[in-house]
Amino acid sequence: MPTDTVTSVVPAWLQLMADSFWPLLQAGLEFTVPLSLLSFAAGLALAFLVALIRLFGPWPLVQLVRFYVWLIRGTPLLVQLFVIFYGLPSVGIVLDPLPAALIGFTLNVGAYNSEVIRAAIESIPKGQWEAAYSLSMSRGQAMRRTVLPQAARVAVPPLANSFISLVKDTSLAAVLTVPEIFQQAQRIAAVTYEPLVLYVLAALIYLLFSSVLSAAQTRLERRYGQHATFAGKLR
């Protein structure tokens, strides 16, 4: 009786994962990461400006930024992206997919993080302001030298969480045809007819990015976070 030669065969789904890993990772490095960084940086600058207006601005500007925050926080991000990319062309404003996504994410980050920054500044005791004024500092100097360094420690954890959420939210840019991770997974799934494998792989890559960022967040919190003193005692 002849003996069959036993050969190890890689399952088709595993081979598809291996073949698709680099295209999805490359899409993440070329589009997801830059889109996240640019949106967060611009959104953080916008959030800081909005927070300062909420705290110290004139009444008309305060009402304007409150309306902006209310509007963005009260509507889904996906709807905001659709309005920017698919709605604005009806009034003559046409944007490419990547700039449209960048604007949408920036506005969203700015609205949510303005509340984080405002709360962090308001959490600083009034005595810190008074101590700065007793040293003949102006309000701007007191803000830069006394209040903001302390507020930054309070704001680091929620801002880091916001950035991690933003990285995952960039998957919504696929509806604007931005070729990021999820869009690339959709394209490969359309050819291979294996959506489960491709979407699980996309999820794993997002999980990889989030895990790296979570580790970085932990390091930031140990160094700058408000619980750094307790972390030092535990080590």
Side-chain angles (χ1 to χ4, degrees), residues 129-139 141-142 145:
W129 289 94
E130 295 172 348
Y133 292 150
S134 69
L135 297 175
S136 301
M137 291 186 188
S138 65
R139 187 166 68 176
Q141 290 174 327
R145 299 178 182 178

Side-chain angles (χ1 to χ4, degrees), residues 100-131:
L102 179 61
I103 292 171
F105 290 130
T106 297
L107 292 175
N108 195 269
V109 169
Y112 278 91
N113 285 337
S114 67
E115 294 297 283
V116 172
I117 294 173
R118 181 178 65 86
I121 293 174
E122 290 183 329
S123 71
I124 305 305
K126 186 178 179 181
Q128 296 294 315
W129 289 94
E130 295 172 348

Side-chain angles (χ1 to χ4, degrees), residues 164-214:
I164 294 173
S165 295
L166 175 62
V167 172
K168 294 179 290 183
D169 287 343
T170 56
S171 61
L172 295 175
V175 301
L176 309 187
T177 69
V178 175
E180 45 73 62
I181 296 173
F182 191 62
Q183 171 74 2
Q184 188 67 19
Q186 287 180 314
R187 291 177 177 178
I188 299 175
V191 175
T192 61
Y193 301 101
E194 292 287 352
L196 178 61
V197 174
L198 271 302
Y199 295 154
V200 167
L201 179 59
L204 291 175
I205 293 177
Y206 281 114
L207 182 61
L208 173 63
F209 284 178
S210 298
S211 299
V212 172
L213 291 174
S214 295

Side-chain angles (χ1 to χ4, degrees), residues 62-170:
V62 171
Q63 298 308 309
L64 180 63
V65 297
R66 287 186 67 181
F67 174 78
Y68 154 68
V69 173
W70 168 77
L71 180 65
I72 297 298
R73 293 180 68 190
T75 55
L77 176 56
L78 183 59
V79 174
Q80 297 164 19
L81 293 174
F82 265 70
V83 169
I84 293 170
F85 186 66
Y86 296 107
L88 290 182
S90 64
V91 294
I93 303 175
V94 179
L95 298 170
D96 290 333
L98 192 58
L102 179 61
I103 292 171
F105 290 130
T106 297
L107 292 175
N108 195 269
V109 169
Y112 278 91
N113 285 337
S114 67
E115 294 297 283
V116 172
I117 294 173
R118 181 178 65 86
I121 293 174
E122 290 183 329
S123 71
I124 305 305
K126 186 178 179 181
Q128 296 294 315
W129 289 94
E130 295 172 348
Y133 292 150
S134 69
L135 297 175
S136 301
M137 291 186 188
S138 65
R139 187 166 68 176
Q141 290 174 327
M143 174 69 75
R144 292 193 305 271
R145 299 178 182 178
T146 304
V147 175
L148 286 183
Q150 298 178 68
R153 291 191 176 96
V154 177
V156 162
L159 289 179
N161 287 333
S162 174
F163 182 64
I164 294 173
S165 295
L166 175 62
V167 172
K168 294 179 290 183
D169 287 343
T170 56

